[in-house]
Amino acid sequence: MDTRELHQRGLKLRKRIFGDEAVEARMRALGDFGAPLQHIINAYAYGDIWSRPGLDHKIRSLVVLGMTAALNRPAEFGVHVRGALANGCSAEEIREVLLLIAMYCGIPAANDAHRLAMEAMAPPGRQARVKIAVRPLVESDLAAADRVFRLAFGTEFGLPEPLAFRGDSDLVKTRWRADPPPRSAPFAARS
């Protein structure tokens, strides 16, 4: 099968899963610059991999939700939640995948994925934002993390020294010194 056939098969499947308008909008989003990427997505992701007989689309959707949540790809995750619903996944099945994310990728990843899933599953036109409380990062948080690193890797190995702390609403940025003080290697022999 040549790439034109793969592209057409993939585009047809992609539109069935996500809807004509959504796919057309994503294909136009990056204009001519993004056209080669859209060709790859249609031909190889959907025309080849998603069209293979080994797994049904519902299972593939659940797997992709797990991967996009683990990789922290919120835009792709939201798109694939809607695709999973179109492929027959229930909210309960999606939730079960997100509980696995909590165990294997961490609570923060699962919290974000739950919030994004709820937003994506909201009825059209009523996409209420889920508010979560975010506590600003404080210097004591890094001190606690430093203690954990020192316990795990040896008493002289810790986090690099921060230069400054500054908060921007939900996001806290920390600049790290480019030249941290020399530290001994983890598990260094002690005399």
Side-chain angles (χ1 to χ4, degrees):
M1 181 177 292
D2 71 12
T3 60
R4 285 186 307 256
E5 289 177 59
L6 283 175
H7 180 272
Q8 288 307 313
R9 180 169 72 184
L11 183 59
K12 182 179 175 183
L13 175 59
R14 192 176 176 197
K15 286 182 174 184
R16 187 195 61 73
I17 295 171
F18 303 108
D20 290 352
E21 281 184 38
V23 171
E24 291 297 331
R26 286 184 73 120
M27 289 179 59
R28 286 190 310 268
L30 299 176
D32 291 339
F33 183 78
L37 176 60
Q38 291 301 315
H39 176 75
I40 290 169
I41 292 168
N42 289 327
Y44 300 107
Y46 292 96
D48 186 12
I49 301 302
W50 272 80
S51 296
R52 294 176 58 82
L55 295 172
D56 66 22
H57 294 145
K58 180 178 176 179
I59 298 297
R60 287 184 196 278
S61 284
L62 293 172
V63 170
V64 170
L65 288 178
M67 289 187 294
T68 55
L71 291 169
N72 190 23
R73 299 295 188 260
E76 290 296 315
F77 181 81
V79 167
H80 282 282
V81 167
R82 290 183 289 279
L85 294 170
N87 281 333
C89 296
S90 68
E92 292 77 20
E93 290 167 322
I94 292 169
R95 180 180 54 212
E96 291 303 314
V97 168
L98 303 185
L99 292 174
L100 286 167
I101 293 297
M103 291 296 103
Y104 288 93
C105 301
I107 301 296
N111 277 336
D112 285 347
H114 273 76
R115 177 182 51 78
L116 292 165
M118 286 179 61
E119 290 174 4
M121 289 188 285
R126 295 183 49 208
Q127 305 228 340
R129 301 295 253 164
V130 178
K131 294 287 186 182
I132 58 171
V134 177
R135 180 177 60 84
L137 181 66
V138 293
E139 197 163 347
S140 63
D141 294 330
L142 288 174
D146 186 66
R147 280 193 304 278
V148 169
F149 270 80
R150 288 177 191 276
L151 285 170
F153 298 113
T155 57
E156 295 182 29
F157 182 77
L159 293 174
E161 302 290 328
L163 279 179
F165 296 92
R166 148 177 113 66
D168 287 318
S169 65
D170 292 349
L171 178 66
V172 174
K173 297 178 182 174
T174 304
R175 282 188 17 220
W176 296 97
R177 221 164 50 197
D179 55 344
R183 299 178 189 273
S184 64
F187 308 110
R190 294 190 179 98
S191 47

